[in-house]
Amino acid sequence: ASRETLLSVQHEFWIRRREIEQKETQYLLGAVHALGKNDHVAAVRWYEKVEEDLDKIDPETHAPGSVGDRLVSIGVSYWTIGQKEKALELTERGRLRIDALVKSGRLPDSSLATAFQNLSIMHASLGHDERSARYTELSRNLTRDLRR
């Protein structure tokens, strides 16, 4: 490869790395507001900047499940400020990501516990009794399996 090609690749790498670090920082600032200050309005302001770009933050190959867990966590903040449908969508996206990793054997079944519990509560609150019951049952089965 020519020197120009190598320099171009290095430049792209550093631009991408800076983007990832920026998104990581934005997510962490949101988490500080949500968890540390119980200020979900401020947390959502940060999360809005990052929620669609979570794949850039933490590739699943480096930290399996972290993107799914973050989507579930972000869903809690949206739920808390009254954006129920957005919260449900983010939590379900997180559950799907975690579930794929569980099915591939890269995460234990227990990784789905929080997503199942949150989805059960969210669906119950929205009057989706059948879906709530399904997630409650999935959560119970998971808990039962962990006790064995």
Side-chain angles (χ1 to χ4, degrees):
S2 71
R3 180 168 163 70
E4 289 172 6
T5 303
L6 183 58
L7 289 174
S8 175
V9 168
Q10 285 178 332
H11 179 73
E12 289 298 316
F13 170 81
W14 289 111
I15 288 173
R16 180 97 166 104
R17 183 170 178 144
R18 187 179 69 220
E19 288 174 359
I20 291 168
E21 288 173 354
Q22 181 182 25
K23 295 299 180 184
E24 179 74 16
T25 300
Q26 290 168 335
Y27 169 78
L28 292 172
L29 287 168
V32 165
H33 284 283
L35 302 172
K37 298 180 179 183
N38 201 30
D39 184 352
H40 294 278
V41 172
V44 165
R45 278 191 228 119
W46 287 107
Y47 291 154
E48 286 173 338
K49 298 174 185 189
V50 73
E51 70 189 51
E52 295 304 319
D53 295 323
L54 277 174
D55 291 330
K56 292 180 184 176
I57 290 178
D58 209 359
E60 299 290 15
T61 55
H62 297 294
S66 63
V67 172
D69 288 340
R70 287 176 180 191
L71 286 165
V72 171
S73 178
I74 290 170
V76 171
S77 287
Y78 275 92
W79 185 267
T80 302
I81 67 167
Q83 292 189 29
K84 309 287 189 194
E85 292 300 323
K86 179 75 171 182
L88 192 60
E89 182 260 324
L90 288 163
T91 305
E92 184 62 26
R93 272 179 53 201
R95 184 203 60 83
L96 289 170
R97 290 192 71 109
I98 296 165
D99 191 51
L101 290 163
V102 167
K103 286 178 180 170
S104 74
R106 294 179 61 209
L107 286 176
D109 291 351
S110 61
S111 302
L112 287 161
T114 300
F116 286 166
Q117 291 164 359
N118 289 4
L119 286 164
S120 175
I121 292 166
M122 289 173 173
H123 282 297
S125 177
L126 294 171
H128 306 157
D129 296 336
E130 211 170 284
R131 283 184 242 166
S132 175
R134 188 180 96 211
Y135 283 113
T136 298
E137 185 61 26
L138 287 169
S139 181
R140 281 189 191 134
N141 290 342
L142 194 60
T143 305
R144 202 173 307 127
D145 290 344
L146 289 174
R147 288 186 190 145
R148 290 182 190 170

